[in-house]
Amino acid sequence: MAFFIENAPLSTPHLQLEPLQARHAAELFPLLQDPRIYTWISSPPPFSQEHLQVGWQQLEKRQSPDGKEIWLNWVIRNSEGIAIGKLDVTLSNKIATNLGCLLFPAFWGQGMASEAVDAVMQFLQQQGITETYASVSPGNLASARVLEKLGFSRISAE
């Protein structure tokens, strides 16, 4: 791999983003069981805390097994320290090929996703990453609005 970016903690006026670790599985597993989260996500909820923890142990390495991608993952916390979601970025060849933000339903519609994504975008720009892509399922208007608010342009997947 020609480059590496440290998964740093980030903060905003209302949020703390801490690098995701396997230990977060115990805290986030119950929150990830809410079926409303999966309306626009093709994967099912994690089936066990242990399985989630094993998967997140791999993410702690911050790169794909073949070394071609960098994985940056954060737990998003509000000002009270409550986990409100997670944010993931995959980097390949100094391009953020996929950015994904998942908020738990109790925190939808409060501007937290925009604030978290903006913080990560600023972090990526500081690291020299100037091209970022995010995928949004057709019909997921809330996520599309977050991305458009932050300057993303719609392009077709065709």
Side-chain angles (χ1 to χ4, degrees):
M1 172 163 294
F3 73 106
F4 186 77
I5 295 175
E6 187 64 38
N7 201 162
L10 306 173
S11 57
T12 73
H14 305 104
L15 303 173
Q16 295 293 320
L17 284 75
E18 63 186 57
L20 181 74
Q21 297 181 354
R23 67 177 174 80
H24 289 114
E27 178 182 12
L28 272 54
F29 175 77
L31 300 167
L32 288 166
Q33 298 307 302
D34 191 318
R36 295 175 291 175
I37 293 171
Y38 302 92
T39 301
W40 305 111
I41 298 174
S42 60
S43 63
F47 61 85
S48 74
Q49 179 180 316
E50 295 74 24
H51 185 260
L52 186 61
Q53 186 170 354
V54 167
W56 287 357
Q57 283 173 337
Q58 180 66 35
L59 292 178
E60 282 185 15
K61 296 175 184 176
R62 309 297 179 220
Q63 65 180 356
S64 60
D66 64 8
K68 293 181 179 179
E69 295 178 335
I70 294 174
W71 297 334
L72 304 176
N73 308 279
W74 292 270
V75 173
I76 307 167
R77 296 189 183 281
N78 64 13
S79 58
E80 289 83 39
I82 297 169
I84 67 166
K86 61 190 265 320
L87 201 150
D88 310 303
V89 177
T90 301
L91 299 170
S92 179
N93 297 321
K94 288 207 163 195
I95 296 172
T97 58
N98 197 21
L99 179 146
C101 183
L102 181 154
L103 288 190
F104 303 125
F107 304 98
W108 289 352
Q110 300 175 29
M112 307 269 188
S114 297
E115 190 169 332
V117 171
D118 187 48
V120 168
M121 295 298 299
Q122 289 181 40
F123 170 75
L124 293 173
Q125 288 173 355
Q126 292 166 0
Q127 307 304 313
I129 308 298
T130 58
E131 196 170 344
T132 303
Y133 296 89
S135 299
V136 177
S137 297
N140 188 346
L141 300 178
S143 290
R145 282 193 297 268
V146 166
L147 295 171
E148 288 172 352
K149 177 181 175 181
L150 295 172
F152 281 77
S153 299
R154 285 186 193 228
I155 58 174
S156 175
E158 302 172 331

